Amino acid sequence: MRGRNRPVLNKNWWSFTYWTALLVQLICVFTICIGLILYTSFRPPFSNPTVKQDVTKEVSVNKAAENLICENKVSENSVNIQELNETISYLMGKLRSTSAELKRMVRHVKESESLYNMRNSNNVRKDARCNGLKIATYNLWNLNPPWPKRRNAIAGFIKERNLDVIAFQEIRHEQIENGVFENQLLQLKKLTSFEHHYYEKVQEESNGKEEGLGLLSVCPIVETSSFIFQSSSGGPTSRKCIQVLLDCSNVKKYYGPNGLVNVFMTHFTLGDYEQCVNVIQLIKWLNTFDKDIPQVLLGDMNTYFDFEWPMDFLTSGFTAFQKSTFNPCYNAFKPHFEDQAILNSKPFDDVWEMFYPQNTNPKIAGNNMKDRWWGEAPANPGYTFPISENKDAIQDASRPDRILIRNKIMATSVALFGADPISLGSSSFYASDHRGVEACVLEVEDY
């Protein structure tokens, strides 16, 4: 995934431009919040209609009807206020997140402090023990050079981190000799100790090269299936979600009593509104599987800082804000507001936010003026893209790579990996343009 590329700029203008861009975001969000607050504070309150006094029976009927209308309007008014309150709360959280990122960028420019260190200072160590199933998601960045060296580096940290299951996106086929191609997933399997794998083509490029999704696992594969996303116009897309049912009962006995886990892997489209449409299709398909078997959704969700509403739906369902006309996904969501299959489904837990809740109040460190002035991030944001601190291009730091869980499963740890540059003579390279995300999960009877 190449992300939302920003214009390439001269380095001398980079700090000013990035600072200005983030400041504009900050001002816009703040202005919207203030406008909504003023709207809810100063609009005329609803008042009951005056009931004309009369002595006939008709008056009592009219009074009952007017009271019913009044009650309905009050109820509708309460819903509108709830929507506005949730909207304000959501935007205020965005305001704090934008402010925190602005402070990081200023410190990065003025103090030459590493963005990676500031964003990931509280991360779980790579040797954190996992008493369950260690799962991960990672975008391979297809065949971008230097693939042979990147491949060895990826295999190295897969083994180093003792992963049990890892899902990959952007899997391509490398030409190893004239007319002979080899799948990247199979190359990694040869370099690691995984016994099981699954690969499925997702799309084919105009030059005949295909790209797919795949998985390596220490647990045997019981069954597989896949779902092709439909576009907003109704036609099939080149995006899929793939199901792989794993039986870990004999391999990872401490994972849980039954040992089964339904792993779903996907790579969402870049289109904002198409994500709104696809996320409804996704939850409907996921709801068709056995609810007594834990579900793990892994993948590159193409979720960016400025458009997180589809992922918010997966982790919260139809809240008052999700049903609000303020929500950019409203038109895609509205036809499904009364869909019982969706209303009765359990939302997913975003593993990263279970350990590092976002949109909380910034921490202020006592009377230390520097900390009070600069402030601290609300929580470790867990950004997975872009990987490098590239001053030649402006890209929003985001968290497109996710691990979501639901149905009798819990997480005990979470971490990022694959973030460090790898030396290559006098230069260096990154294993991918994304960081990977890993989590330790346990099957539980009731969660």
Side-chain angles (χ1 to χ4, degrees):
M1 183 201 70
R2 293 174 175 80
R4 300 182 181 180
N5 293 316
R6 302 299 191 252
V8 175
L9 301 176
N10 185 288
K11 288 185 179 182
N12 295 330
W13 288 95
W14 178 83
S15 60
F16 171 78
T17 307
Y18 205 119
W19 190 355
T20 303
L22 283 169
L23 187 59
V24 169
Q25 290 183 41
L26 190 70
I27 293 171
C28 289
V29 174
F30 182 75
T31 303
I32 293 171
C33 291
I34 294 300
L36 289 171
I37 292 171
L38 292 175
Y39 174 68
T40 55
S41 300
F42 296 106
R43 66 177 179 173
F46 180 82
S47 57
N48 292 336
T50 304
V51 180
K52 296 180 180 180
Q53 301 297 319
D54 207 308
V55 292
T56 63
K57 287 184 178 180
E58 187 177 354
V59 170
S60 61
V61 174
N62 289 340
K63 183 184 291 186
E66 289 178 351
N67 286 339
L68 181 60
I69 294 172
C70 176
E71 289 175 4
N72 289 337
K73 287 186 175 180
V74 170
S75 176
E76 181 181 338
N77 196 47
S78 300
V79 172
N80 290 338
I81 291 175
Q82 184 181 1
E83 290 180 0
L84 288 170
N85 287 340
E86 288 201 17
T87 303
I88 292 170
S89 176
Y90 184 91
L91 291 174
M92 289 302 292
K94 280 292 186 184
L95 176 67
R96 287 192 289 268
S97 297
T98 306
S99 174
E101 183 65 7
L102 177 63
K103 291 172 183 176
R104 291 188 196 102
M105 297 308 303
V106 174
R107 289 177 67 176
H108 174 58
V109 173
K110 294 180 69 66
E111 302 181 9
S112 299
E113 187 169 350
S114 167
L115 280 175
Y116 177 75
N117 289 339
M118 283 189 285
R119 290 169 175 163
N120 301 280
S121 57
N122 297 318
N123 211 345
V124 179
R125 289 170 24 187
K126 66 182 180 182
D127 57 349
R129 184 173 180 179
C130 176
N131 291 320
L133 193 67
K134 208 167 189 183
I135 58 175
T137 180
Y138 193 65
N139 187 310
L140 280 181
W141 199 23
N142 54 72
L143 287 169
N144 281 285
W147 167 242
K149 291 182 171 59
R150 292 199 302 111
R151 176 188 61 213
N152 294 336
I154 293 170
F157 58 65
I158 287 176
K159 291 187 289 187
E160 181 183 48
R161 304 187 77 88
N162 296 316
L163 300 177
D164 299 315
V165 179
I166 180 168
F168 294 102
Q169 304 85 49
E170 293 194 16
I171 301 171
R172 297 279 181 93
H173 291 71
E174 182 189 24
Q175 183 169 341
I176 55 177
E177 57 182 86
N178 194 21
V180 179
F181 293 84
E182 189 173 40
N183 186 302
Q184 287 178 291
L185 185 72
L186 294 179
Q187 291 181 350
L188 288 169
K189 184 181 179 182
K190 291 177 183 178
L191 295 173
T192 56
S193 58
F194 292 100
E195 292 187 25
H196 309 279
H197 78 278
Y198 183 75
Y199 169 81
E200 190 168 319
K201 181 176 74 173
V202 173
Q203 58 184 326
E204 191 163 331
E205 303 293 328
S206 57
N207 56 10
K209 294 181 179 179
E210 70 177 49
E211 182 172 298
L213 299 170
L215 170 145
L216 294 176
S217 172
V218 300
C219 305
I221 296 172
V222 178
E223 68 175 28
T224 64
S225 63
S226 61
F227 174 82
I228 299 175
F229 290 111
Q230 303 294 302
S231 69
S232 56
S233 60
T237 70
S238 59
R239 304 283 179 167
K240 283 183 180 180
C241 184
I242 298 170
Q243 172 242 0
V244 181
L245 177 62
L246 300 175
D247 182 358
C248 300
S249 57
N250 294 323
V251 182
K252 307 290 290 187
K253 293 184 178 180
Y254 43 82
Y255 158 63
N258 298 313
L260 294 176
V261 58
N262 245 331
V263 175
F264 299 88
M265 47 187 175
T266 191
H267 189 176
F268 254 36
T269 180
L270 272 169
D272 290 344
Y273 187 73
E274 294 303 309
Q275 288 188 7
C276 300
V277 173
N278 292 163
V279 78
I280 293 290
Q281 298 169 4
L282 177 62
I283 199 68
K284 284 188 170 185
W285 184 61
L286 296 178
N287 286 345
T288 64
F289 292 90
D290 190 341
K291 293 179 176 56
D292 289 327
I293 298 177
Q295 293 185 356
V296 176
L297 178 59
L298 304 170
D300 177 354
M301 312 302 290
N302 269 324
T303 301
Y304 289 84
F305 183 83
D306 60 350
F307 204 87
E308 296 184 334
W309 290 278
M311 288 303 99
D312 292 339
F313 165 74
L314 279 180
T315 56
S316 64
F318 282 142
T319 63
F321 175 63
Q322 294 289 350
K323 291 184 175 182
S324 168
T325 53
F326 292 113
N327 191 324
C329 288
Y330 175 79
N331 289 333
F333 289 174
K334 184 179 179 181
H336 308 280
F337 285 161
E338 305 303 323
D339 189 328
Q340 293 302 312
I342 294 179
L343 295 177
N344 295 332
S345 65
K346 184 178 181 180
F348 279 88
D349 289 319
D350 185 324
V351 173
W352 190 266
E353 291 207 349
M354 292 172 67
F355 292 87
Y356 303 105
Q358 303 301 302
N359 297 338
T360 55
N361 289 323
K363 298 177 182 177
I364 300 298
N367 294 319
N368 186 310
M369 186 55 69
K370 180 179 178 181
D371 288 338
R372 184 172 292 278
W373 173 255
W374 288 115
E376 295 293 337
N380 184 347
Y383 295 141
T384 61
F385 180 85
I387 185 70
S388 61
E389 298 175 4
N390 183 2
K391 293 188 177 182
D392 293 328
I394 295 179
Q395 293 176 314
D396 292 333
S398 303
R399 194 164 64 89
D401 306 275
R402 306 273 177 130
I403 298 179
L404 307 180
I405 60 174
R406 73 173 183 177
N407 297 345
K408 299 185 177 182
I409 189 170
M410 64 175 293
T412 60
S413 69
V414 66
L416 301 182
F417 63 89
D420 299 324
I422 301 162
S423 297
L424 180 63
S426 59
S427 61
S428 62
F429 65 93
Y430 288 91
S432 173
D433 61 340
H434 286 245
R435 297 175 177 89
V437 187
E438 70 174 52
C440 182
V441 295
L442 291 170
E443 181 188 11
V444 290
E445 285 298 329
D446 186 20
Y447 185 78

